[in-house]
Amino acid sequence: MAERKNENQQRINTSLIGQNERIYPVLRHAGLVQKERERWVYQPHTADTVMLYALDQGDGYSLIEQRMLQEAGWSEEELHRLAMDNLQQLPFTVKTQEVGGNRIHFISPADGYAASRILLEPLLRDFDRQKTGDTLGVAIPHQDVLIVADLVGDTGAHLLARLTYDFASKGQVPISVLPFFWEDGELTPFLVVSHGNETHIKRSPENEKR
């Protein structure tokens, strides 16, 4: 697969028939589907993100549309199962840095689906079991990186928030500038709120199980 693949807008070779092994889940900001909800095959992921599906074409991909699904005669459940099975089989490595007692893990394989690994719950559970800090944080600032962080207190949360914003500003396909706490299978977005000389962590009022 080509490094840093982008969406291919050309409608060529977009039949799903015989392409089972080329289908993967991708995450995007929810704003992508708001104007054309009936066009795309997607599932809600968090309040700000959605999961779509991609047909990999080597040097790029096409986001899968409802018409493509209908032409193939597939259900959305079949599509989702294929995409997740294929994602689980993609190899990756983890690079880890320690900053102020916080262990920051970067997953950024050059396959175009790095951020999609946030959908692999067993992977996040493994990181959660291994953590030595207070909380597990995750971030998907753009499609080519997943950040998983073993966080110590509010200082760790501040660090992850800064990293997420910085990475989102540099990625070709930004997804979310908000990081998340991952607690028992639930993603809780948070942000750093400043008031005068003080800052504090503000969590979303509702957890989002994904």
Side-chain angles (χ1 to χ4, degrees):
M1 293 182 187
E3 182 175 356
R4 303 297 185 256
K5 51 170 57 75
N6 295 306
E7 181 182 353
N8 185 350
Q9 297 291 347
Q10 296 181 338
R11 293 191 174 186
I12 56 174
N13 298 325
T14 57
S15 172
L16 300 181
I17 298 174
Q19 304 293 329
N20 298 35
E21 297 180 356
R22 292 180 173 270
I23 294 166
Y24 298 93
V26 292
L27 295 167
R28 292 291 181 269
H29 190 273
L32 176 66
V33 302
Q34 288 179 353
K35 292 184 179 180
E36 298 180 286
R37 292 184 183 277
E38 296 182 357
R39 175 182 178 183
W40 305 109
V41 184
Y42 72 95
Q43 294 186 29
H45 177 241
T46 71
D48 294 322
T49 57
V50 293
M51 176 172 56
L52 295 98
Y53 302 90
L55 174 60
D56 193 278
Q57 296 173 332
D59 59 350
Y61 59 82
S62 296
L63 293 178
I64 294 175
E65 303 178 19
Q66 288 286 351
R67 65 172 182 84
M68 297 164 63
L69 198 64
Q70 294 168 3
E71 289 169 2
W74 294 358
S75 67
E76 292 190 19
E77 291 75 15
E78 289 173 313
L79 180 71
H80 179 75
R81 178 180 55 78
L82 284 171
M84 293 302 297
D85 285 349
N86 291 337
L87 178 66
Q88 291 178 41
Q89 296 181 47
L90 289 179
F92 65 90
T93 58
V94 180
K95 296 181 180 180
T96 302
Q97 297 180 5
E98 185 164 333
V99 182
N102 301 279
R103 300 190 71 201
I104 313 298
H105 310 284
F106 298 92
I107 296 174
S108 55
D111 57 20
Y113 307 104
S116 299
R117 268 79 171 193
I118 197 174
L119 301 170
L120 300 177
E121 185 168 320
L123 173 66
L124 297 183
R125 289 197 180 277
D126 283 344
F127 278 114
D128 190 53
R129 281 193 293 267
Q130 296 168 22
K131 77 176 188 296
T132 58
D134 302 310
T135 314
L136 190 72
V138 295
I140 44 173
H142 60 73
Q143 75 169 6
D144 293 313
V145 66
L146 167 64
I147 303 173
V148 184
D150 185 348
L151 302 176
V152 178
D154 285 356
T155 301
H158 286 206
L159 172 63
L160 181 58
R162 290 196 301 271
L163 278 174
T164 305
Y165 183 84
D166 183 56
F167 272 72
S169 67
K170 297 175 181 177
Q172 291 185 351
V173 184
I175 300 175
S176 177
V177 297
L178 290 181
F180 305 87
F181 292 124
W182 190 89
E183 297 165 316
D184 194 27
E186 295 185 337
L187 289 172
T188 304
F190 70 88
L191 62 143
V192 178
V193 179
S194 299
H195 183 71
N197 294 326
E198 298 182 354
T199 60
H200 66 275
I201 304 300
K202 182 178 180 181
R203 293 175 176 240
S204 169
E206 295 182 0
N207 288 350
E208 304 179 37
K209 188 174 180 61
R210 294 290 179 267

